[in-house]
């Protein structure tokens, strides 16, 4: 059996369809089917139950797929070792970034990174945390930038920075006259949130629950962007919380509505995360160094309280 045949097996196992798997592997469907049939004949087992729709793994097929993943990863590691030894930092690198980080962080480091490492083909996708974790585990992402800790034993985390939560309080609100606020000052019924699926939303919920802020009602309104939440707050529909980096781009009149929390400031931990198999670690190190270099000038907060991005019951 060959590495290529194992890659074909993994593609069919993931997509549960020979035609789609062939497209993803850039081969014809007959070629892929023939190679999988060869490996089945060599092992004298059926890896796939073709009678079911979609195609399913047999019991022995599932065990073969689990081992095939390890073999393909280790084969890729050999390439990494050689490239690292030669001092080559290049090739395709797939990076996921969560939506509440991408608009502010990406413009800060991307230009510097592509100038310093022109041989790296950086493919960036905006994805929520759950999708990022899934893609890291199935090999469709090399690394990601997300709020942590994620408490996943298969994922490594390198902390890049701590980003405080900042309250956006319109002038008409009861606490607008305060220069600094505490979590207990918040009225949970007034807080405008991002839609479900955003870890920043879960962080706010965790922050309020941790500090005993309770709500008699459900939240008034949810939206998909911070810009919408700010506009809704300006219309008198409530208050909202923003990540610190996002506040740097606000207009001067809007920055007057910001209120920082007293220390220790509630904050999210932002990390570079990647699978524990540590493939392409030289590129991961290059990303970490570049991002840390540009961010340290923008964020200098030390006395913070890290709020979990994971949804708590």
């Amino acid at each position: 059996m060959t590495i290529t045949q194992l890659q074909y097996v993994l593609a069919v196992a993931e997509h549960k369809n020979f035609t789609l798997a062939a497209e993803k592997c850039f081969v014809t469907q007959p070629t892929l089917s023939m190679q999988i049939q060869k490996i089945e004949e060599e092992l004298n087992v059926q890896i796939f139950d073709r009678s079911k729709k979609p195609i399913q793994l047999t019991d022995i097929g599932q065990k073969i797929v689990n081992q095939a993943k390890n073999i393909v990863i280790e084969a890729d590691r050999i390439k990494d070792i050689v490239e690292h030894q030669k001092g080559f930092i290049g090739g395709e690198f797939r990076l996921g970034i969560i939506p509440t980080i991408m608009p502010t962080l990406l413009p800060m480091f991307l230009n510097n990174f592509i100038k310093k490492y022109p041989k790296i083909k950086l493919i960036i996708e905006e994805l929520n945390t759950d999708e990022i974790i899934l893609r890291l585990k199935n090999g469709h992402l090399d690394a990601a930038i997300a709020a942590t800790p994620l408490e996943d034993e298969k994922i490594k985390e390198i902390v890049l920075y701590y980003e405080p939560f900042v309250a956006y309080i319109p002038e008409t609100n009861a606490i607008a006259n305060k220069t600094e606020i505490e979590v207990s000052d918040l009225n949970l019924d007034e807080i405008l949130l991002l839609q479900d699926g955003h870890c920043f939303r879960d962080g706010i919920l965790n922050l309020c629950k941790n500090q005993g802020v309770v709500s008699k009602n459900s939240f008034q309104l949810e939206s998909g962007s911070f810009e919408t939440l700010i506009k809704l707050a300006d219309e008198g529909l409530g208050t909202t919380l923003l990540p610190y980096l996002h506040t740097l781009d606000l207009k001067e009149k809007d920055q007057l509505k910001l209120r920082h929390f007293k220390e220790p400031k509630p904050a999210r931990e932002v990390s570079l995360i990647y699978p524990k198999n540590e493939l392409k670690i030289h590129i991961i190190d290059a990303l970490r160094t570049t991002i840390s270099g540009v961010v340290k000038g923008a964020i200098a907060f030390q006395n913070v309280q890290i709020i979990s991005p994971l949804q708590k019951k």
Side-chain angles (χ1 to χ4, degrees):
M1 72 186 73
T2 66
I3 298 295
T4 300
Q5 287 174 331
L6 294 178
Q7 290 171 331
Y8 292 166
V9 168
L10 293 178
V12 176
E14 178 183 352
H15 299 290
K16 297 180 173 57
N17 181 285
F18 277 81
T19 302
L20 183 56
E23 290 175 2
K24 297 296 182 180
C25 293
F26 303 104
V27 296
T28 64
Q29 191 269 327
T31 297
L32 180 136
S33 297
M34 181 182 65
Q35 292 301 320
I36 290 179
Q37 186 175 348
K38 281 185 177 180
I39 198 171
E40 287 179 322
E41 290 173 353
E42 179 181 344
L43 297 173
N44 196 28
V45 296
Q46 287 292 114
I47 299 175
F48 298 102
D49 184 348
R50 295 164 174 80
S51 66
K52 295 182 178 179
K53 301 294 181 183
I55 293 168
Q56 299 293 319
L57 286 165
T58 60
D59 290 341
I60 188 62
Q62 182 62 65
K63 294 178 181 179
I64 290 170
V65 163
N66 292 341
Q67 187 60 33
K69 288 179 182 178
N70 296 330
I71 294 170
V72 171
I73 286 172
E74 292 304 318
D76 287 340
R77 192 189 303 278
I78 293 174
K79 297 176 186 176
D80 277 0
I81 291 170
V82 172
E83 289 180 354
H84 192 265
Q85 181 67 29
K86 292 180 178 179
F88 176 75
I89 302 180
E92 186 176 286
F93 191 87
R94 298 157 299 177
L95 179 70
I97 308 179
I98 62 173
T100 58
I101 290 177
M102 190 165 185
T104 51
L105 181 62
L106 189 61
M108 293 177 69
F109 79 86
L110 183 59
N111 196 37
N112 286 347
F113 185 81
I114 59 180
K115 285 182 178 179
K116 190 172 183 180
Y117 304 102
K119 294 181 181 178
I120 296 175
K121 181 183 178 182
L122 199 58
I123 300 172
I124 303 169
E125 292 187 75
E126 184 176 270
L127 303 163
N128 65 35
T129 302
D130 288 342
E131 184 67 18
I132 279 174
I133 292 173
L134 178 63
R135 294 199 186 194
L136 285 173
K137 289 180 177 179
N138 65 25
H140 293 323
L141 283 179
D142 297 303
I145 300 171
T148 56
L150 297 175
E151 301 174 9
D152 192 310
E153 61 181 15
K154 295 184 179 180
I155 302 293
K156 280 196 172 185
E157 303 172 357
I158 302 175
V159 178
L160 297 171
Y161 58 91
Y162 302 108
E163 184 175 25
F165 293 62
V166 182
Y168 186 85
I169 312 291
E171 301 94 328
T172 55
N173 193 274
I175 61 172
N177 61 337
K178 294 193 173 188
T179 55
E180 281 190 317
I181 64 171
E182 300 180 63
V183 177
S184 57
D185 292 322
L186 300 174
N187 180 345
L188 205 56
D189 288 325
E190 292 182 346
I191 299 179
L192 305 169
L193 291 173
L194 292 173
Q195 293 171 341
D196 197 12
H198 290 273
C199 62
F200 192 78
R201 165 199 167 95
D202 294 330
I204 293 174
L205 294 175
N206 292 336
L207 170 66
C208 294
K209 290 175 183 176
N210 291 348
Q211 299 299 320
V213 178
V214 295
S215 171
K216 295 179 182 178
N217 305 309
S218 59
F219 290 95
Q220 289 183 333
L221 198 55
E222 299 175 3
S223 178
S225 72
F226 289 124
E227 287 73 19
T228 302
L229 296 180
I230 289 170
K231 289 178 181 178
L232 294 173
D234 286 337
E235 291 296 320
L237 293 172
T239 63
T240 193
L241 298 185
L242 305 171
Y244 174 76
L245 285 180
H246 191 89
T247 68
L248 301 182
D249 293 329
L250 294 181
K251 296 177 181 177
E252 187 174 344
K253 66 180 181 65
D254 291 330
Q255 291 197 3
L256 296 175
K257 302 169 190 174
L258 299 176
R259 295 296 181 272
H260 291 268
F261 286 92
K262 294 179 179 179
E263 293 187 346
K265 298 178 185 294
R268 65 175 175 179
E269 179 182 270
V270 176
S271 299
L272 187 60
I273 64 175
Y274 54 96
K276 284 199 171 179
N277 56 47
E278 297 186 12
L279 294 175
K280 303 185 181 180
I281 194 67
H282 49 301
I283 299 181
I284 291 172
D285 286 340
L287 266 172
R288 176 189 58 80
T289 302
T290 303
I291 295 171
S292 297
V294 298
V295 168
K296 67 182 180 182
I299 295 186
F301 298 97
Q302 298 298 327
N303 189 8
V304 296
Q305 174 194 4
I306 304 305
I307 306 300
S308 172
L310 302 178
Q311 188 173 15
K312 303 295 183 182
K313 300 296 184 182

